[in-house]
Amino acid sequence: MDHFKKVKDSQVDISELMLPSHSNFNGKIHGGYILSLMDRIAFACASKHSGAYCVTASVDTVDFLKPIEIGELVTMKASVNYVGNSSMVIGIRVEAENIRTGIKKHCNSSYFTMVAKDKDGKSIAVPGLHLTTDDDIRRFAKSIKRNKMTINRKQEFSETDFSSEEYVHLLENYKVKIDK
């Protein structure tokens, strides 16, 4: 494909005030609610880049670093970090701000793999990515590395016989009970 888009042309930011209806019984915002917002911004960013309807293929590395409180303003920033033929890796940064004090905290970073689809649900080609900053290059390179790690992890799990005595012995070091 000869068509390329700059990273900045597809970036999306959203902000939302966290309400009591988004929280658990401890006054913290549900992780599932944050994941839902992340999925929406990943969709928006991927659709903006591809010009097509996009679906979530996978979510990689969701670590909740700090809790989000009721009344904080959550801002999510999404950008296309990597493109394949029909897939895109969307990097998302989640920050929460105490709107009274102005103190911000980084709560999460995650990577959503999105796939562009046509009206019949078939995967379609997406524009290439025009990298213009050191951050763009770093994020693209890190995505390649994460993709290789995922492929290696999948291969390792498909080649491993988890019923072998080697793994039963390994599990004896953990808090598990094994009845055979």
Side-chain angles (χ1 to χ4, degrees):
M1 174 175 274
D2 292 335
H3 184 67
F4 289 83
K5 282 189 171 180
K6 292 180 180 177
V7 172
K8 69 178 183 173
D9 293 337
S10 301
Q11 289 175 325
V12 177
D13 295 357
I14 62 169
S15 294
E16 184 172 328
L17 186 64
M18 295 295 104
L19 304 174
S21 60
H22 305 139
S23 70
N24 59 26
F25 294 110
N26 216 16
K28 311 297 184 209
I29 303 305
H30 283 290
Y33 184 73
I34 298 301
L35 283 169
S36 174
L37 291 175
M38 292 170 72
D39 193 45
R40 285 189 242 165
I41 194 171
F43 167 82
C45 183
S47 294
K48 192 173 179 181
H49 181 79
S50 66
Y53 179 76
C54 295
V55 297
T56 306
S58 70
V59 180
D60 186 27
T61 317
V62 179
D63 295 322
F64 294 98
L65 306 173
K66 294 184 178 151
I68 299 171
E69 309 287 337
I70 295 170
E72 289 185 323
L73 182 66
V74 168
T75 300
M76 296 185 182
K77 300 175 182 184
S79 62
V80 179
N81 289 1
Y82 173 87
V83 295
N85 292 324
S86 62
S87 66
M88 297 151 281
V89 174
I90 310 300
I92 303 168
R93 181 178 173 92
V94 179
E95 293 179 343
E97 178 182 1
N98 181 314
I99 57 176
R100 291 178 308 236
T101 66
I103 295 173
K104 294 180 182 179
K105 59 187 175 184
H106 176 210
C107 298
N108 187 324
S109 290
S110 191
Y111 307 94
F112 280 58
T113 299
M114 308 296 288
V115 177
K117 300 286 187 174
D118 67 13
K119 62 181 173 65
D120 298 319
K122 294 184 178 157
S123 298
I124 58 171
V126 299
L129 201 56
H130 181 178
L131 308 176
T132 60
T133 69
D134 287 343
D135 279 343
D136 294 348
I137 295 166
R138 178 183 53 79
R139 289 177 180 144
F140 194 91
K142 280 187 163 186
S143 290
I144 292 170
K145 190 164 184 98
R146 258 193 315 281
N147 286 347
K148 287 180 182 177
M149 289 169 40
T150 299
I151 290 167
N152 290 341
R153 185 176 65 241
K154 286 179 181 179
Q155 183 178 355
E156 177 186 339
F157 278 109
S158 68
E159 293 174 351
T160 303
D161 175 11
F162 287 100
S163 64
S164 72
E165 288 302 314
E166 174 187 352
Y167 285 93
V168 170
H169 177 70
L170 174 71
L171 295 174
E172 290 171 356
N173 296 320
Y174 292 89
K175 192 174 181 177
V176 296
K177 181 178 178 184
I178 301 171
D179 287 327
K180 290 178 84 177

